[in-house]
Amino acid sequence: MSYAVAVLGAMWGDEGKGHITHHLSKTFDWVIRFNGGANAGHTIYRDGVKYVHNLMPSFDWRKTDLKAFLGSGMVIDLEQLHKEVSLLWSHNTGYPSRVYVDPDAFVVLPEHKEEDKASNGHIGSTNRGIGPAYTARTARRGLRIRDRMRDADNNRDQHFIKEMQRMGVHFKSALEMRREMESASLLFEGAQGVLLDINHGIYPYVSCSDATIGGIYASGFAWARPEKVYGVAKCYTTKVGEGPFPTEIHGKEADELRQRGNEFGATTGRPRRVGWLDLPALDYACQKGGITHLILTKFDILDGMDRVKVCVAYDKPPVSSSDFFDAVPQYITVPGWEDSKDHDQLAPFVRQVERLTRCHVSYISAGTDTKDIVSW
Ligand code: IMO
Ligand code: MG
């Protein structure tokens, strides 16, 4: 049987999932995206060079037998995918032939992106056509990649598909791949985060896909139950776009944290809203997301702070996404750390996280290099 593990965003996205997945991918056979589309911006540093993957999973292409799969729960802009595949091609990675795309995934059309720009300002969407593409799917008028492949008058997408096939990309469904994947190790990579999930995120300030463990099953992988579900969170919190953010900070303190953490959107370049770690929100996300273990990132950004603020409770525990709208956060401060490489200094902070989420912290990360990710 296959061995499967998942990495999910535990908060509002941008937690460092790409960095973590890229690192873990070296010990897996497959990296599988299952939700969202090019709204994701997964930043990876490879040999000191920065890459942003929007549709492509965050695999380490230096491992020559690692394969990538784009699942049917995604909405795929074929022009954008063609761009990312071409990048792999130009880097001479030989990788396109190890990329598999489920033709049951729905496509994002140019008009979806136009509609997104015109109508989703109040949410602060990424304008990548995600909402309109999922709306079309739900309204039973969406188009799948499979439809675009056989549609006679649809040269534009067919051109991209043919070009990708020429470079070696395979279009195969999750069931066609089952036999091969069942004797392999699978790493599922979530996009967005549980608080942006269509069902359990802070509605209506959400994205439109399944960012919880449910998204893996929904994309046809019910047979590949993850043994571990890692939730990734920063040691502080960020959010892009509108909606409630109980631990948000403003003014000079916020500007400073934003600069230190380089908190500007990887996809849109927008300055991210910033705040302190929100443990009631993280606990909610672990329960709703199916998260069993945590990975905490960006500890280096808070190096040198005397004390670090953490939200440990709201006036009442959130049991529904609607409870975030009027939450009154209660804080404690814990001793800060001079050097995030020294685990003894981080221990008081990590203890609070484990205590309040009842999840074991498995890894921490304190930098952009893979060697900065260490077991806790
Ligand atoms: P990764 O995978 C952070 C946010 C948008 C907006 C809302 C809806 O990099 O963590 P959409 O374009 O999806 O309809 O926008 O969701 N959003 C993200 N925020 N990281 C992401 O992805 C996001 N994907 C969507 O900013 O508030
Ligand atoms: Mg991102």
Side-chain angles (χ1 to χ4, degrees), residues 21-22 25 28-34 44 46 53 55-61 63-72 74 76 81 84-85 88 93-102 168-174 177 180-181 184-189 221:
T21 307
H22 184 252
S25 73
F28 284 83
D29 299 313
W30 286 88
V31 183
I32 302 170
R33 271 276 308 263
F34 57 88
I44 296 162
R46 205 177 279 125
H53 291 206
L55 285 167
M56 207 57 93
S58 307
F59 53 85
D60 190 340
W61 69 42
K63 181 178 185 257
T64 54
D65 55 352
L66 181 59
K67 295 178 182 172
F69 191 83
L70 284 76
S72 67
M74 294 180 71
I76 296 181
L81 183 60
E84 291 184 41
V85 169
L88 289 179
T93 58
Y95 215 97
S97 61
R98 285 179 284 137
V99 174
Y100 291 69
V101 182
D102 195 325
V169 174
H170 308 265
F171 289 85
K172 286 192 180 228
S173 76
M177 300 311 299
E180 180 178 341
M181 286 183 174
S185 52
L186 316 179
L187 179 60
F188 289 97
E189 178 187 30
F221 286 98

Short mmCIF file of all heavy atoms in Angstrom, two decimals, residues 21-22 25 28-34 44 46 53 55-61 63-72 74 76 81 84-85 88 93-102 168-174 177 180-181 184-189 221:
data_model
loop_
_atom_site.label_atom_id
_atom_site.label_comp_id
_atom_site.label_asym_id
_atom_site.label_seq_id
_atom_site.Cartn_x
_atom_site.Cartn_y
_atom_site.Cartn_z
N THR A 21 7.21 21.63 1.86
CA THR A 21 6.93 20.54 0.92
C THR A 21 8.16 20.23 0.09
O THR A 21 8.52 19.07 -0.13
CB THR A 21 5.75 20.91 -0.01
OG1 THR A 21 4.65 21.32 0.79
CG2 THR A 21 5.34 19.74 -0.88
N HIS A 22 8.82 21.29 -0.37
CA HIS A 22 10.02 21.14 -1.18
C HIS A 22 11.07 20.33 -0.41
O HIS A 22 11.68 19.41 -0.95
CB HIS A 22 10.55 22.54 -1.51
CG HIS A 22 11.73 22.54 -2.41
ND1 HIS A 22 12.99 22.87 -1.96
CD2 HIS A 22 11.85 22.26 -3.72
CE1 HIS A 22 13.84 22.78 -2.98
NE2 HIS A 22 13.18 22.42 -4.05
N SER A 25 9.85 16.69 0.10
CA SER A 25 9.63 15.96 -1.17
C SER A 25 10.79 15.01 -1.50
O SER A 25 10.60 14.02 -2.19
CB SER A 25 9.39 16.93 -2.33
OG SER A 25 10.58 17.59 -2.71
N PHE A 28 10.06 11.40 -0.91
CA PHE A 28 8.81 10.84 -1.46
C PHE A 28 8.97 10.52 -2.94
O PHE A 28 9.90 10.98 -3.60
CB PHE A 28 7.66 11.84 -1.26
CG PHE A 28 7.16 11.86 0.16
CD1 PHE A 28 7.80 12.62 1.12
CD2 PHE A 28 6.06 11.10 0.53
CE1 PHE A 28 7.36 12.63 2.44
CE2 PHE A 28 5.61 11.10 1.84
CZ PHE A 28 6.26 11.87 2.79
N ASP A 29 7.98 9.76 -3.46
CA ASP A 29 7.97 9.44 -4.89
C ASP A 29 7.10 10.43 -5.68
O ASP A 29 7.34 10.67 -6.86
CB ASP A 29 7.41 8.02 -5.11
CG ASP A 29 8.26 6.97 -4.43
OD1 ASP A 29 9.49 7.02 -4.57
OD2 ASP A 29 7.69 6.10 -3.72
N TRP A 30 6.06 10.94 -5.00
CA TRP A 30 5.12 11.83 -5.69
C TRP A 30 4.81 13.04 -4.80
O TRP A 30 4.68 12.89 -3.58
CB TRP A 30 3.77 11.14 -5.93
CG TRP A 30 3.79 10.12 -7.02
CD1 TRP A 30 4.10 8.80 -6.89
CD2 TRP A 30 3.46 10.34 -8.39
NE1 TRP A 30 3.99 8.18 -8.10
CE2 TRP A 30 3.59 9.10 -9.05
CE3 TRP A 30 3.06 11.45 -9.13
CZ2 TRP A 30 3.34 8.94 -10.41
CZ3 TRP A 30 2.81 11.30 -10.48
CH2 TRP A 30 2.95 10.06 -11.12
N VAL A 31 4.65 14.21 -5.43
CA VAL A 31 4.10 15.38 -4.74
C VAL A 31 2.80 15.74 -5.48
O VAL A 31 2.81 15.88 -6.71
CB VAL A 31 5.05 16.58 -4.74
CG1 VAL A 31 4.45 17.74 -3.95
CG2 VAL A 31 6.38 16.19 -4.12
N ILE A 32 1.71 15.85 -4.74
CA ILE A 32 0.39 15.97 -5.36
C ILE A 32 -0.33 17.23 -4.87
O ILE A 32 -0.60 17.38 -3.68
CB ILE A 32 -0.46 14.72 -5.01
CG1 ILE A 32 0.26 13.46 -5.50
CG2 ILE A 32 -1.87 14.84 -5.60
CD1 ILE A 32 -0.36 12.16 -5.00
N ARG A 33 -0.64 18.13 -5.81
CA ARG A 33 -1.52 19.26 -5.48
C ARG A 33 -2.96 18.79 -5.67
O ARG A 33 -3.26 18.06 -6.61
CB ARG A 33 -1.28 20.42 -6.46
CG ARG A 33 -0.21 21.44 -6.09
CD ARG A 33 -0.64 22.55 -5.14
NE ARG A 33 -1.83 23.30 -5.49
CZ ARG A 33 -1.82 24.48 -6.10
NH1 ARG A 33 -0.70 25.05 -6.47
NH2 ARG A 33 -2.96 25.13 -6.34
N PHE A 34 -3.87 19.23 -4.81
CA PHE A 34 -5.25 18.75 -4.95
C PHE A 34 -6.31 19.84 -4.92
O PHE A 34 -7.47 19.57 -5.15
CB PHE A 34 -5.57 17.71 -3.85
CG PHE A 34 -5.35 18.27 -2.44
CD1 PHE A 34 -6.37 18.94 -1.79
CD2 PHE A 34 -4.12 18.14 -1.82
CE1 PHE A 34 -6.19 19.47 -0.52
CE2 PHE A 34 -3.91 18.68 -0.54
CZ PHE A 34 -4.94 19.34 0.10
N ILE A 44 10.00 29.01 -3.16
CA ILE A 44 10.99 27.96 -2.92
C ILE A 44 12.37 28.53 -3.24
O ILE A 44 12.52 29.24 -4.22
CB ILE A 44 10.74 26.79 -3.88
CG1 ILE A 44 9.40 26.14 -3.61
CG2 ILE A 44 11.84 25.76 -3.81
CD1 ILE A 44 8.94 25.32 -4.77
N ARG A 46 15.99 27.25 -4.31
CA ARG A 46 16.70 26.07 -4.78
C ARG A 46 18.10 26.49 -5.19
O ARG A 46 18.23 27.36 -6.06
CB ARG A 46 15.92 25.51 -5.99
CG ARG A 46 16.12 24.06 -6.23
CD ARG A 46 15.25 23.61 -7.41
NE ARG A 46 13.87 23.37 -7.08
CZ ARG A 46 12.83 23.95 -7.68
NH1 ARG A 46 13.01 24.84 -8.62
NH2 ARG A 46 11.60 23.64 -7.33
N HIS A 53 6.17 28.91 -7.41
CA HIS A 53 5.29 27.99 -8.14
C HIS A 53 3.85 28.40 -7.87
O HIS A 53 3.46 28.57 -6.72
CB HIS A 53 5.46 26.55 -7.63
CG HIS A 53 6.78 25.94 -7.96
ND1 HIS A 53 6.97 24.59 -8.07
CD2 HIS A 53 7.99 26.50 -8.21
CE1 HIS A 53 8.23 24.34 -8.38
NE2 HIS A 53 8.87 25.48 -8.45
N LEU A 55 1.01 26.86 -9.93
CA LEU A 55 0.22 25.65 -10.16
C LEU A 55 1.00 24.38 -9.89
O LEU A 55 0.46 23.38 -9.42
CB LEU A 55 -0.27 25.62 -11.63
CG LEU A 55 -1.42 26.57 -11.95
CD1 LEU A 55 -1.60 26.68 -13.46
CD2 LEU A 55 -2.72 26.10 -11.30
N MET A 56 2.26 24.43 -10.20
CA MET A 56 3.11 23.24 -10.07
C MET A 56 3.35 22.92 -8.59
O MET A 56 3.57 23.84 -7.80
CB MET A 56 4.43 23.58 -10.75
CG MET A 56 5.17 22.43 -11.28
SD MET A 56 4.21 21.48 -12.43
CE MET A 56 4.70 22.23 -13.93
N PRO A 57 3.28 21.65 -8.22
CA PRO A 57 3.61 21.32 -6.83
C PRO A 57 5.04 21.74 -6.47
O PRO A 57 5.88 21.92 -7.36
CB PRO A 57 3.48 19.79 -6.81
CG PRO A 57 2.65 19.44 -7.98
CD PRO A 57 2.92 20.48 -9.01
N SER A 58 5.30 21.87 -5.18
CA SER A 58 6.63 22.34 -4.73
C SER A 58 7.60 21.17 -4.59
O SER A 58 8.07 20.88 -3.50
CB SER A 58 6.50 23.05 -3.39
OG SER A 58 5.52 24.05 -3.47
N PHE A 59 7.89 20.52 -5.68
CA PHE A 59 8.79 19.37 -5.64
C PHE A 59 10.24 19.84 -5.83
O PHE A 59 10.48 20.89 -6.38
CB PHE A 59 8.44 18.40 -6.78
CG PHE A 59 8.42 19.11 -8.11
CD1 PHE A 59 9.58 19.29 -8.82
CD2 PHE A 59 7.24 19.64 -8.58
CE1 PHE A 59 9.56 19.99 -10.01
CE2 PHE A 59 7.22 20.34 -9.77
CZ PHE A 59 8.38 20.52 -10.48
N ASP A 60 11.15 19.02 -5.36
CA ASP A 60 12.56 19.32 -5.59
C ASP A 60 13.00 18.62 -6.86
O ASP A 60 13.21 17.41 -6.88
CB ASP A 60 13.40 18.84 -4.40
CG ASP A 60 14.83 19.35 -4.49
OD1 ASP A 60 15.26 19.72 -5.61
OD2 ASP A 60 15.51 19.38 -3.46
N TRP A 61 13.12 19.37 -7.94
CA TRP A 61 13.36 18.73 -9.24
C TRP A 61 14.77 18.14 -9.35
O TRP A 61 15.09 17.44 -10.31
CB TRP A 61 13.03 19.66 -10.41
CG TRP A 61 13.91 20.85 -10.61
CD1 TRP A 61 15.27 20.91 -10.53
CD2 TRP A 61 13.48 22.15 -11.01
NE1 TRP A 61 15.72 22.17 -10.83
CE2 TRP A 61 14.63 22.96 -11.14
CE3 TRP A 61 12.24 22.72 -11.28
CZ2 TRP A 61 14.58 24.29 -11.50
CZ3 TRP A 61 12.19 24.05 -11.65
CH2 TRP A 61 13.34 24.83 -11.75
N LYS A 63 15.78 15.89 -7.45
CA LYS A 63 15.62 14.44 -7.21
C LYS A 63 15.01 13.85 -8.47
O LYS A 63 13.84 14.10 -8.80
CB LYS A 63 14.70 14.21 -6.01
CG LYS A 63 14.53 12.72 -5.70
CD LYS A 63 13.66 12.50 -4.47
CE LYS A 63 13.61 11.03 -4.12
NZ LYS A 63 12.40 10.33 -4.48
N THR A 64 15.80 13.07 -9.19
CA THR A 64 15.44 12.77 -10.58
C THR A 64 14.28 11.79 -10.75
O THR A 64 13.75 11.65 -11.83
CB THR A 64 16.67 12.23 -11.34
OG1 THR A 64 17.16 11.12 -10.57
CG2 THR A 64 17.74 13.27 -11.50
N ASP A 65 13.88 11.08 -9.66
CA ASP A 65 12.76 10.16 -9.85
C ASP A 65 11.49 10.65 -9.16
O ASP A 65 10.53 9.89 -8.99
CB ASP A 65 13.14 8.76 -9.35
CG ASP A 65 13.62 8.78 -7.91
OD1 ASP A 65 13.80 9.89 -7.36
OD2 ASP A 65 13.82 7.70 -7.34
N LEU A 66 11.48 11.90 -8.76
CA LEU A 66 10.30 12.46 -8.09
C LEU A 66 9.29 12.93 -9.14
O LEU A 66 9.66 13.59 -10.11
CB LEU A 66 10.76 13.63 -7.22
CG LEU A 66 9.75 14.38 -6.38
CD1 LEU A 66 9.05 13.45 -5.40
CD2 LEU A 66 10.46 15.50 -5.62
N LYS A 67 8.01 12.57 -8.94
CA LYS A 67 6.99 12.97 -9.91
C LYS A 67 5.98 13.93 -9.29
O LYS A 67 5.80 13.92 -8.07
CB LYS A 67 6.26 11.72 -10.42
CG LYS A 67 7.16 10.81 -11.22
CD LYS A 67 6.41 9.59 -11.66
CE LYS A 67 7.36 8.66 -12.42
NZ LYS A 67 6.72 7.39 -12.71
N ALA A 68 5.34 14.70 -10.15
CA ALA A 68 4.37 15.70 -9.68
C ALA A 68 3.01 15.41 -10.29
O ALA A 68 2.92 15.03 -11.45
CB ALA A 68 4.84 17.09 -10.10
N PHE A 69 1.96 15.60 -9.49
CA PHE A 69 0.60 15.35 -9.98
C PHE A 69 -0.28 16.55 -9.63
O PHE A 69 -0.22 17.07 -8.52
CB PHE A 69 0.03 14.08 -9.32
CG PHE A 69 -1.25 13.60 -9.95
CD1 PHE A 69 -1.23 12.81 -11.08
CD2 PHE A 69 -2.48 13.94 -9.38
CE1 PHE A 69 -2.41 12.36 -11.67
CE2 PHE A 69 -3.66 13.49 -9.96
CZ PHE A 69 -3.63 12.70 -11.10
N LEU A 70 -1.06 16.99 -10.62
CA LEU A 70 -2.01 18.09 -10.39
C LEU A 70 -3.41 17.47 -10.42
O LEU A 70 -3.85 16.96 -11.45
CB LEU A 70 -1.87 19.17 -11.45
CG LEU A 70 -0.66 20.12 -11.32
CD1 LEU A 70 0.62 19.44 -11.76
CD2 LEU A 70 -0.87 21.38 -12.13
N GLY A 71 -4.10 17.51 -9.27
CA GLY A 71 -5.31 16.73 -9.10
C GLY A 71 -6.58 17.42 -9.59
O GLY A 71 -6.62 18.62 -9.87
N SER A 72 -7.66 16.62 -9.61
CA SER A 72 -8.91 17.07 -10.22
C SER A 72 -9.64 18.11 -9.36
O SER A 72 -10.57 18.76 -9.84
CB SER A 72 -9.83 15.88 -10.46
OG SER A 72 -10.24 15.34 -9.21
N MET A 74 -8.33 20.79 -8.45
CA MET A 74 -7.77 22.10 -8.81
C MET A 74 -8.58 22.75 -9.94
O MET A 74 -9.33 22.08 -10.64
CB MET A 74 -6.33 21.92 -9.31
CG MET A 74 -5.35 21.43 -8.27
SD MET A 74 -3.68 21.28 -8.96
CE MET A 74 -3.20 23.01 -9.18
N ILE A 76 -7.48 24.87 -13.27
CA ILE A 76 -6.18 25.05 -13.93
C ILE A 76 -6.27 26.00 -15.12
O ILE A 76 -7.07 25.81 -16.04
CB ILE A 76 -5.63 23.67 -14.38
CG1 ILE A 76 -5.37 22.83 -13.10
CG2 ILE A 76 -4.35 23.83 -15.20
CD1 ILE A 76 -4.80 21.45 -13.34
N LEU A 81 -0.14 27.16 -16.69
CA LEU A 81 0.55 25.87 -16.50
C LEU A 81 1.62 25.69 -17.58
O LEU A 81 2.74 25.25 -17.31
CB LEU A 81 -0.47 24.72 -16.55
CG LEU A 81 0.13 23.33 -16.31
CD1 LEU A 81 0.79 23.25 -14.93
CD2 LEU A 81 -0.95 22.25 -16.42
N GLU A 84 4.67 27.54 -16.60
CA GLU A 84 5.47 26.90 -15.54
C GLU A 84 6.19 25.65 -16.07
O GLU A 84 7.32 25.37 -15.69
CB GLU A 84 4.59 26.57 -14.32
CG GLU A 84 4.13 27.83 -13.61
CD GLU A 84 3.34 27.57 -12.34
OE1 GLU A 84 3.70 26.68 -11.56
OE2 GLU A 84 2.32 28.28 -12.13
N VAL A 85 5.51 24.91 -16.95
CA VAL A 85 6.16 23.74 -17.55
C VAL A 85 7.33 24.18 -18.44
O VAL A 85 8.40 23.58 -18.43
CB VAL A 85 5.13 22.91 -18.36
CG1 VAL A 85 5.82 21.86 -19.20
CG2 VAL A 85 4.11 22.26 -17.42
N LEU A 88 10.39 24.79 -16.48
CA LEU A 88 11.08 23.54 -16.16
C LEU A 88 11.88 23.05 -17.35
O LEU A 88 13.01 22.57 -17.24
CB LEU A 88 10.07 22.45 -15.79
CG LEU A 88 9.35 22.58 -14.47
CD1 LEU A 88 8.39 21.43 -14.31
CD2 LEU A 88 10.35 22.57 -13.34
N THR A 93 15.62 20.48 -16.80
CA THR A 93 15.48 19.58 -15.66
C THR A 93 15.04 18.19 -16.12
O THR A 93 15.05 17.25 -15.34
CB THR A 93 14.39 20.09 -14.71
OG1 THR A 93 13.18 20.19 -15.47
CG2 THR A 93 14.74 21.43 -14.13
N GLY A 94 14.56 18.10 -17.35
CA GLY A 94 13.99 16.84 -17.81
C GLY A 94 12.66 16.60 -17.11
O GLY A 94 12.08 15.53 -17.17
N TYR A 95 12.20 17.63 -16.40
CA TYR A 95 11.06 17.41 -15.53
C TYR A 95 9.70 17.26 -16.20
O TYR A 95 8.87 16.47 -15.74
CB TYR A 95 10.99 18.49 -14.45
CG TYR A 95 10.48 17.86 -13.19
CD1 TYR A 95 11.36 17.45 -12.21
CD2 TYR A 95 9.13 17.57 -13.04
CE1 TYR A 95 10.89 16.79 -11.10
CE2 TYR A 95 8.67 16.92 -11.94
CZ TYR A 95 9.56 16.53 -10.97
OH TYR A 95 9.11 15.87 -9.88
N PRO A 96 9.41 18.00 -17.26
CA PRO A 96 8.04 17.92 -17.78
C PRO A 96 7.54 16.48 -17.95
O PRO A 96 6.37 16.21 -17.74
CB PRO A 96 8.13 18.65 -19.12
CG PRO A 96 9.20 19.66 -18.88
CD PRO A 96 10.22 18.99 -17.99
N SER A 97 8.41 15.55 -18.25
CA SER A 97 7.94 14.18 -18.44
C SER A 97 7.60 13.51 -17.12
O SER A 97 7.08 12.39 -17.10
CB SER A 97 8.99 13.36 -19.19
OG SER A 97 10.16 13.33 -18.42
N ARG A 98 7.89 14.18 -16.02
CA ARG A 98 7.49 13.62 -14.72
C ARG A 98 6.33 14.41 -14.11
O ARG A 98 6.06 14.32 -12.93
CB ARG A 98 8.70 13.59 -13.79
CG ARG A 98 9.66 12.46 -14.19
CD ARG A 98 10.88 12.39 -13.32
NE ARG A 98 11.82 13.43 -13.67
CZ ARG A 98 12.47 14.17 -12.79
NH1 ARG A 98 12.27 13.98 -11.51
NH2 ARG A 98 13.31 15.09 -13.18
N VAL A 99 5.67 15.22 -14.95
CA VAL A 99 4.49 15.98 -14.51
C VAL A 99 3.24 15.31 -15.07
O VAL A 99 3.15 15.03 -16.26
CB VAL A 99 4.58 17.44 -14.99
CG1 VAL A 99 3.29 18.20 -14.67
CG2 VAL A 99 5.78 18.14 -14.37
N TYR A 100 2.27 15.05 -14.19
CA TYR A 100 1.01 14.41 -14.56
C TYR A 100 -0.13 15.35 -14.17
O TYR A 100 -0.11 15.92 -13.07
CB TYR A 100 0.85 13.07 -13.83
CG TYR A 100 1.82 12.01 -14.29
CD1 TYR A 100 3.18 12.12 -14.02
CD2 TYR A 100 1.38 10.91 -15.02
CE1 TYR A 100 4.08 11.16 -14.46
CE2 TYR A 100 2.26 9.93 -15.46
CZ TYR A 100 3.62 10.07 -15.18
OH TYR A 100 4.50 9.12 -15.62
N VAL A 101 -1.10 15.49 -15.07
CA VAL A 101 -2.23 16.38 -14.82
C VAL A 101 -3.51 15.58 -14.98
O VAL A 101 -3.68 14.87 -15.99
CB VAL A 101 -2.22 17.57 -15.82
CG1 VAL A 101 -3.35 18.53 -15.54
CG2 VAL A 101 -0.87 18.29 -15.81
N ASP A 102 -4.40 15.69 -14.00
CA ASP A 102 -5.67 14.97 -14.08
C ASP A 102 -6.60 15.72 -15.05
O ASP A 102 -6.97 16.87 -14.79
CB ASP A 102 -6.30 14.88 -12.69
CG ASP A 102 -7.42 13.85 -12.64
OD1 ASP A 102 -8.14 13.71 -13.65
OD2 ASP A 102 -7.57 13.18 -11.59
N GLY A 168 6.42 16.55 -22.80
CA GLY A 168 6.45 15.30 -22.03
C GLY A 168 5.38 15.18 -20.95
O GLY A 168 5.28 14.14 -20.29
N VAL A 169 4.57 16.23 -20.74
CA VAL A 169 3.56 16.20 -19.68
C VAL A 169 2.49 15.14 -20.02
O VAL A 169 2.08 15.00 -21.17
CB VAL A 169 2.89 17.60 -19.53
CG1 VAL A 169 1.74 17.55 -18.53
CG2 VAL A 169 3.94 18.63 -19.10
N HIS A 170 2.06 14.39 -18.98
CA HIS A 170 1.03 13.37 -19.16
C HIS A 170 -0.31 13.89 -18.66
O HIS A 170 -0.36 14.58 -17.64
CB HIS A 170 1.35 12.11 -18.35
CG HIS A 170 2.74 11.61 -18.59
ND1 HIS A 170 3.03 10.63 -19.49
CD2 HIS A 170 3.93 11.97 -18.03
CE1 HIS A 170 4.33 10.40 -19.50
NE2 HIS A 170 4.90 11.20 -18.61
N PHE A 171 -1.38 13.53 -19.32
CA PHE A 171 -2.71 13.87 -18.84
C PHE A 171 -3.40 12.56 -18.46
O PHE A 171 -3.87 11.81 -19.32
CB PHE A 171 -3.48 14.65 -19.92
CG PHE A 171 -2.94 16.05 -20.09
CD1 PHE A 171 -1.84 16.30 -20.92
CD2 PHE A 171 -3.47 17.11 -19.38
CE1 PHE A 171 -1.31 17.58 -21.04
CE2 PHE A 171 -2.94 18.39 -19.49
CZ PHE A 171 -1.86 18.62 -20.33
N LYS A 172 -3.42 12.26 -17.16
CA LYS A 172 -3.96 10.98 -16.68
C LYS A 172 -4.71 11.19 -15.38
O LYS A 172 -4.27 11.97 -14.52
CB LYS A 172 -2.82 9.99 -16.43
CG LYS A 172 -2.24 9.46 -17.70
CD LYS A 172 -1.34 8.29 -17.39
CE LYS A 172 -0.79 7.80 -18.69
NZ LYS A 172 -0.76 6.56 -19.08
N SER A 173 -5.80 10.46 -15.21
CA SER A 173 -6.62 10.65 -14.01
C SER A 173 -6.01 9.94 -12.81
O SER A 173 -5.17 9.04 -12.95
CB SER A 173 -8.03 10.14 -14.26
OG SER A 173 -8.03 8.74 -14.20
N ALA A 174 -6.50 10.31 -11.62
CA ALA A 174 -6.00 9.70 -10.38
C ALA A 174 -6.23 8.18 -10.40
O ALA A 174 -5.42 7.42 -9.87
CB ALA A 174 -6.70 10.33 -9.18
N MET A 177 -3.71 6.34 -12.40
CA MET A 177 -2.41 6.31 -11.74
C MET A 177 -2.41 5.46 -10.48
O MET A 177 -1.39 5.25 -9.85
CB MET A 177 -1.97 7.73 -11.36
CG MET A 177 -1.82 8.70 -12.51
SD MET A 177 -0.85 8.02 -13.86
CE MET A 177 0.71 7.75 -13.02
N GLU A 180 0.10 2.46 -9.94
CA GLU A 180 1.50 2.91 -9.76
C GLU A 180 1.68 3.61 -8.40
O GLU A 180 2.64 3.38 -7.68
CB GLU A 180 1.90 3.85 -10.90
CG GLU A 180 3.31 4.35 -10.75
CD GLU A 180 3.77 5.25 -11.89
OE1 GLU A 180 3.15 5.23 -12.98
OE2 GLU A 180 4.76 5.99 -11.69
N MET A 181 0.70 4.45 -8.05
CA MET A 181 0.83 5.22 -6.82
C MET A 181 0.67 4.35 -5.57
O MET A 181 1.19 4.69 -4.52
CB MET A 181 -0.18 6.36 -6.79
CG MET A 181 0.16 7.50 -7.73
SD MET A 181 -1.05 8.81 -7.55
CE MET A 181 -0.35 10.09 -8.60
N ALA A 184 3.78 3.41 -3.96
CA ALA A 184 4.71 4.54 -3.86
C ALA A 184 4.40 5.37 -2.61
O ALA A 184 3.40 5.14 -1.93
CB ALA A 184 4.58 5.40 -5.10
N SER A 185 5.27 6.35 -2.33
CA SER A 185 5.00 7.26 -1.22
C SER A 185 4.51 8.60 -1.78
O SER A 185 5.05 9.13 -2.76
CB SER A 185 6.27 7.46 -0.39
OG SER A 185 7.34 7.84 -1.22
N LEU A 186 3.44 9.10 -1.17
CA LEU A 186 2.75 10.28 -1.71
C LEU A 186 2.78 11.43 -0.71
O LEU A 186 2.47 11.24 0.47
CB LEU A 186 1.28 9.93 -2.00
CG LEU A 186 0.97 8.60 -2.69
CD1 LEU A 186 -0.54 8.44 -2.85
CD2 LEU A 186 1.66 8.53 -4.04
N LEU A 187 3.13 12.59 -1.21
CA LEU A 187 3.11 13.79 -0.38
C LEU A 187 2.08 14.75 -0.96
O LEU A 187 2.26 15.27 -2.07
CB LEU A 187 4.50 14.44 -0.35
CG LEU A 187 4.66 15.71 0.46
CD1 LEU A 187 4.33 15.48 1.94
CD2 LEU A 187 6.09 16.26 0.34
N PHE A 188 0.97 14.94 -0.25
CA PHE A 188 -0.07 15.85 -0.72
C PHE A 188 0.26 17.27 -0.26
O PHE A 188 0.54 17.49 0.92
CB PHE A 188 -1.44 15.45 -0.17
CG PHE A 188 -1.97 14.19 -0.78
CD1 PHE A 188 -1.81 12.97 -0.14
CD2 PHE A 188 -2.61 14.22 -2.01
CE1 PHE A 188 -2.28 11.80 -0.71
CE2 PHE A 188 -3.10 13.05 -2.59
CZ PHE A 188 -2.93 11.83 -1.93
N GLU A 189 0.20 18.21 -1.19
CA GLU A 189 0.51 19.60 -0.86
C GLU A 189 -0.74 20.46 -0.99
O GLU A 189 -1.27 20.65 -2.09
CB GLU A 189 1.59 20.14 -1.82
CG GLU A 189 1.91 21.59 -1.55
CD GLU A 189 2.84 22.22 -2.58
OE1 GLU A 189 2.84 21.80 -3.76
OE2 GLU A 189 3.58 23.13 -2.19
N PHE A 221 -8.74 10.77 -4.24
CA PHE A 221 -7.70 10.00 -3.55
C PHE A 221 -8.20 9.36 -2.26
O PHE A 221 -7.45 9.22 -1.29
CB PHE A 221 -6.48 10.88 -3.27
CG PHE A 221 -5.66 11.17 -4.49
CD1 PHE A 221 -5.81 12.36 -5.19
CD2 PHE A 221 -4.75 10.24 -4.96
CE1 PHE A 221 -5.06 12.63 -6.33
CE2 PHE A 221 -3.99 10.48 -6.10
CZ PHE A 221 -4.15 11.69 -6.79
#
